Amino acid sequence: MNVRGVCLVVLLLVFANCIAVTTARDPDIDATPEALITEKGFPVETHNVPTPDGYLLQVQRIPSTPGAPVVYLQHGLLDSSCTWISNSVDQSLGFILSRAGYDVWLGNQRGNRFSSRMADGGDYNWAFTMDEMARFDDEALLTYITNATSKPRISWVGHSRGTQQMFYGLSRYPHHANYLNLFVALAPVAWIGHARVPLIKDIAAFDSHDLLDKIGLKDFLPYVVGGSVACEVCPECCGDSIAAIMGAGTGNATRFNQSRWDVYVSHFPAGTSSREMAHYAQLVVTNTISMYNFGSAAANQAAYGSTTPPLYDLTQIPSSATLPIALFTGGDDDLADPADVQRLVQTMGASRFTFIHNEPDWNHADFVLGITAKDVVYPLVVDLLKKYNP
């Protein structure tokens, strides 16, 4: 073997050793949701939920005693079900709710690392945005879980895009409320015209017409095994990578467990479609909450029966008597910007919300990864669940 070959082998061995050392340090790195759950001593089930348009959505379940009240947790943009179980048992909302006696279901949005299969086994169709999640995925999940548990109503706890798809879905398909007894919105997203997140702003500057999709890049920031090795080489890069998507301040936030950045980065980002990101870009540029713009009057006419994409009308969401909605907001949130959240509240009316709680110095990721959430926010969430989903 020549010198070049020897050097290559040495480099590969060093890289493999980095991964091995990182993995040995914390078994949660690159672990599946099932592994994250079972290694903490909880039971787990894996369900694949079919949607009417042919996708399979993978959902993890932490079952409880028969007849227990049901809670569904939906993650945000580019995330996965791991976000609810990435901290310790007493700091992760998924485990906290399970210990409180709830039957906990952890969802994965279409296009992420766990929900990237078609029901017919064919090539994955990346031609979707949050419109399809609001139209197809919400109802598929709600009907599947209520049938599986024999519970007519469940609670939906969402973070970021996990709230956005429910707001949009309820506005166009209000019968979805018939499956719910409570909707908890952590870092709620509807409008994003004031979003200051670097990734969203950069994409808005060049890809509102779906350039990435058109040139063949169908999936966006897919999951990469071994991404946590970057934390060994460049520790500050770990926080920066999450901050680029969730907002500034994340990397230096004292509310985060600094020793677990490698765990967080090993699970995030988890991927979505390029078209979904183009839709986000459109929402920033237009400062509206419209459906996806196909780029021409003819294409929109074919899709919607109108030359421009329809707007989501949040005033059509059923009243609080039908569905209680609770908002948990952060005053330092660069993605769910306070100005955009205020527009949400003003549009629907403050009296429409059953509960509104603001943490003035919290950012976007604090609601799922912050180690103080267990003391500040999660007890309030549990209290709401006990009231509306006992």
Side-chain angles (χ1 to χ4, degrees):
M1 182 181 292
N2 59 30
V3 174
R4 183 177 179 181
V6 171
C7 291
L8 178 59
V9 170
V10 170
L11 286 173
L12 289 173
L13 289 173
V14 170
F15 182 74
N17 185 62
C18 285
I19 295 177
V21 170
T22 303
T23 305
R25 189 180 67 246
D26 195 321
D28 289 350
I29 293 173
D30 290 320
T32 64
E34 290 82 0
L36 290 173
I37 293 168
T38 56
E39 70 183 17
K40 303 297 192 303
F42 292 80
V44 66
E45 299 173 0
T46 302
H47 296 254
N48 291 295
V49 179
T51 70
D53 57 340
Y55 291 77
L56 286 179
L57 307 175
Q58 189 180 105
V59 181
Q60 285 78 36
R61 179 190 189 185
I62 308 176
S64 185
T65 56
V70 180
V71 180
Y72 176 79
L73 305 182
Q74 186 61 72
H75 64 77
L77 179 66
L78 291 165
D79 212 342
S80 73
S81 57
C82 295
T83 199
W84 305 106
I85 48 177
S86 287
N87 280 329
S88 65
V89 169
D90 67 332
Q91 295 171 347
S92 300
L93 184 58
F95 296 132
I96 289 171
L97 294 179
S98 179
R99 280 183 162 180
Y102 287 89
D103 184 354
V104 180
W105 296 67
L106 310 166
N108 288 283
Q109 289 165 341
R110 62 171 68 190
N112 86 350
R113 62 179 289 205
F114 304 114
S115 293
S116 54
R117 293 190 295 129
M118 305 301 294
D120 63 3
D123 292 340
Y124 199 71
N125 181 5
W126 292 98
F128 65 82
T129 74
M130 67 194 78
D131 294 338
E132 285 72 32
M133 298 177 197
R135 179 182 180 184
F136 298 119
D137 297 0
D138 287 3
E139 185 159 359
L141 291 161
L142 292 170
T143 56
Y144 183 95
I145 295 172
T146 53
N147 288 334
T149 60
S150 298
K151 287 287 187 179
R153 291 176 181 263
I154 69 172
S155 297
W156 180 292
V157 179
H159 174 246
S160 187
R161 189 176 64 176
T163 73
Q164 190 174 22
Q165 71 181 81
M166 182 52 66
F167 281 124
Y168 289 5
L170 287 169
S171 70
R172 288 187 68 85
Y173 316 102
H175 65 279
H176 290 178
N178 297 333
Y179 297 96
L180 297 168
N181 49 36
L182 176 66
F183 170 28
V184 175
L186 306 176
V189 172
W191 284 269
I192 56 172
H194 293 87
R196 293 161 287 154
V197 174
L199 178 69
I200 301 296
K201 290 182 66 177
D202 290 345
I203 290 176
F206 81 92
D207 199 35
S208 61
H209 296 295
D210 208 357
L211 175 64
L212 292 175
D213 185 71
K214 288 182 174 65
I215 64 175
L217 298 177
K218 305 296 184 181
D219 55 335
F220 186 85
L221 288 182
Y223 169 74
V224 177
V225 177
S228 61
V229 174
C231 297
E232 296 289 324
V233 179
C234 177
E236 64 272 16
C237 298
C238 288
D240 290 345
S241 64
I242 295 179
I245 299 170
M246 293 217 188
T250 306
N252 298 316
T254 56
R255 290 179 295 277
F256 284 71
N257 187 337
Q258 303 296 310
S259 69
R260 292 185 68 77
W261 280 120
D262 46 5
V263 175
Y264 303 151
V265 172
S266 76
H267 298 296
F268 182 88
T272 188
S273 72
S274 293
R275 182 174 290 188
E276 164 76 337
M277 298 309 297
H279 193 183
Y280 264 81
Q282 293 172 5
L283 298 183
V284 172
V285 171
T286 63
N287 196 19
T288 65
I289 50 173
S290 66
M291 300 181 74
Y292 177 73
N293 189 334
F294 285 90
S296 71
N300 287 329
Q301 183 70 42
Y304 305 122
S306 60
T307 58
T308 57
L311 296 173
Y312 287 103
D313 182 1
L314 301 193
T315 65
Q316 298 303 305
I317 293 177
S319 70
S320 57
T322 301
L323 176 61
I325 300 177
L327 300 183
F328 289 83
T329 67
D332 193 27
D333 194 327
D334 284 357
L335 182 48
D337 185 272
D340 292 325
V341 173
Q342 185 60 27
R343 187 174 181 182
L344 165 66
V345 173
Q346 289 176 344
T347 298
M348 294 181 63
S351 62
R352 167 61 187 85
F353 297 98
T354 303
F355 185 84
I356 299 177
H357 177 84
N358 179 63
E359 287 296 324
D361 60 344
W362 274 35
N363 61 45
H364 203 66
D366 284 330
F367 293 94
V368 287
L369 299 180
I371 58 177
T372 61
K374 68 180 180 66
D375 302 311
V376 179
V377 166
Y378 295 165
L380 299 175
V381 173
V382 172
D383 287 344
L384 287 164
L385 289 168
K386 288 180 177 178
K387 180 176 181 179
Y388 294 104
N389 189 13

